[in-house]
Amino acid sequence: MAPPLMEPSHGEVDIVNLQVRYAPHMPLVLRGLTCTLPGGMKTGIVGRTGSGKSTLVQALFRIIEPAVGHIVIDGVHISKIGLHDLRSRLSIIPQDPTMFEGTREEQSGST
Ligand SMILES: Nc1ncnc2c1ncn2[C@@H]1O[C@H](COP(=O)(O)OP(=O)(O)OP(=O)(O)O)[C@@H](O)[C@H]1O
Ligand SMILES: [Mg+2]
């Protein structure tokens, strides 16, 4: 059984020399990314199309395995965190989230 995340969870994400490719014969998409996402706050990731934002998210969720490097959350290597624990504790707001469009009609007397 996978060990639980350390409690209370601070939420610091350490990304160390992350190198990710989609297949062995394909070039690296992430070429040695190292950074720390502080716990307790929201972090925005920006970059032009194709720069690897979604790829990073897939590595965080362990949808793709890095070729080199690793990700640590609160001191625990994500490969040691159960998939359900990992995925249920990460919140991602993608680009172009569906927001309300247009004007909102005021309605009175109904809910
Ligand atoms: N499933 C895949 N197989 C092979 N290559 C892929 C795959 N998904 C993405 N790529 C390639 O990886 C690179 C990074 O793509 P990624 O989708 O991570 O970029 P992004 O920053 O999320 O872009 P966007 O802003 O358009 O969403 C691009 O060169 C893309 O073509
Ligand atoms: Mg994307």
Side-chain angles (χ1 to χ4, degrees), residues 10-11 14 17 21-22 25-26 59 69-72 95 98 102 109-110:
H10 179 58
D14 259 308
N17 190 29
R21 54 165 54 95
Y22 280 92
H25 62 279
M26 294 184 77
H70 59 269
I71 301 174
V72 173
Q95 64 209 95
T98 304
S110 66

Side-chain angles (χ1 to χ4, degrees), residues 5-7 16-17 39 48 57 73 75 82-83 86-87 89 100-101 108 110-111:
L5 280 173
M6 287 189 297
E7 297 286 358
V16 183
N17 190 29
R48 67 183 181 191
V57 170
I73 301 180
L83 271 188
L86 176 72
R87 292 174 182 175
R89 285 162 192 245
F100 299 104
E101 266 182 41
S108 57
S110 66
T111 51

Side-chain angles (χ1 to χ4, degrees), residues 30-97:
L30 299 180
R31 290 166 291 182
L33 175 68
T34 298
C35 61
T36 299
L37 314 181
M41 58 177 68
K42 299 178 181 70
T43 299
I45 301 169
V46 295
R48 67 183 181 191
T49 182
S51 59
K53 305 178 295 294
S54 298
T55 303
L56 174 59
V57 170
Q58 292 188 68
L60 266 171
F61 278 93
R62 282 177 58 201
I63 293 166
I64 47 180
E65 199 74 24
V68 176
H70 59 269
I71 301 174
V72 173
I73 301 180
D74 290 336
V76 182
H77 196 299
I78 61 167
S79 66
K80 301 277 190 289
I81 300 171
L83 271 188
H84 180 264
D85 267 350
L86 176 72
R87 292 174 182 175
S88 63
R89 285 162 192 245
L90 290 168
S91 300
I92 303 288
I93 304 170
Q95 64 209 95
D96 307 324

